[in-house]
Amino acid sequence: MDVEVVAEIDRLPIDLLAHIFVLFSSFTDLAQASGVCKKWKQGVMESLAHRHNLSFENRKMDDESTARLVYHAYNLTKLDMYIVVEMLGPRSRWDCQITDAGLLRISFAKCVSNLTSISLWGLTGITDEGVVQLISRTRSLQHLNVGGTFITDESLFAIARSCPKLETISLWSCCHVTESGLLALVDKCQKLKSMNVWGTRVPQDCFNNLLIISPALQLIL
Ligand SMILES: *[C@@H]1O[C@H](CO)[C@@H](O)[C@H](O)[C@H]1NC(C)=O
Ligand SMILES: *[C@@H]1O[C@H](CO)[C@@H](O)[C@H](O)[C@H]1NC(C)=O
Ligand SMILES: *[C@@H]1O[C@H](CO)[C@@H](O)[C@H](O)[C@H]1NC(C)=O
């Protein structure tokens, strides 16, 4: 942005700035805007309270900054954290900065009980410990994506206990889950319509057993 535009915007009151920042969809843009000056930073923090969804590319995030933003987003219902894999070029890597410590901090944010959708897609740095902590503080969850993580049945049992409203779940490539976790989930989450189990290592019999409990369940294999 050129200097004149910044000077014009600088005359706007903070709430108006906040309304502008609500339109930013990328975390990187928000982070840059909050670095411009104190007033813009206040505008960004205020804009977080208006947001209903927030998405983070894990590549640019860490536990501390993610948790700080989620704390300010009181009205959040949809939280997307996912990993971006850079396939091209020498900087190709799969590095993960969100850990259980971040999930633990996020679990205490006010918005957690109102989240209807959470994605932790591909966060390879998290384990059951963080997932169980976060999930057990949700009350309204309808959609959960834990694909590509190393969770086990322990997380599935927590989901079965805490998410009676769950409608869709992705367990894409969760190779440590077993039949007993899946059975608990399908048994307790009676609104479950769709479950992505591609790349899990459970035997075919298990899927038949799930369909006996819930004949209308859509299994994505
Ligand atoms: C939070 O969401 C509710 C319902 O959509 C809305 O009425 C309220 O104004 C929002 N609060 C903020 C600070 O945006
Ligand atoms: C995020 O929320 C905004 C408005 O709050 C909406 O326009 C946008 O479609 C939402 N994006 C997603 C991915 O849900
Ligand atoms: C959660 O949602 C309920 C009902 O929609 C609302 O009354 C409550 O204020 C919300 N809580 C937070 C922390 O936003």
Side-chain angles (χ1 to χ4, degrees), residues 49-50 52 75:
H50 296 294
H52 296 288
N75 234 0

Side-chain angles (χ1 to χ4, degrees), residues 24-45:
F24 286 24
S25 60
S26 133
F27 166 73
T28 319
D29 294 345
L30 272 181
Q32 272 169 4
S34 80
V36 169
C37 63
K38 212 167 161 189
K39 191 171 166 190
W40 280 43
K41 182 172 184 169
Q42 258 176 292
V44 167
M45 289 310 172

Side-chain angles (χ1 to χ4, degrees), residues 74-75 110-111 113-114:
Y74 311 115
N75 234 0
K110 280 206 194 100
C111 63
S113 63
N114 279 10

Side-chain angles (χ1 to χ4, degrees), residues 180-195:
S180 85
L182 295 178
L183 284 172
L185 195 66
V186 172
D187 187 41
K188 289 279 173 24
C189 301
Q190 295 187 352
K191 299 206 164 143
L192 197 61
K193 291 185 209 142
S194 155
M195 184 152 104

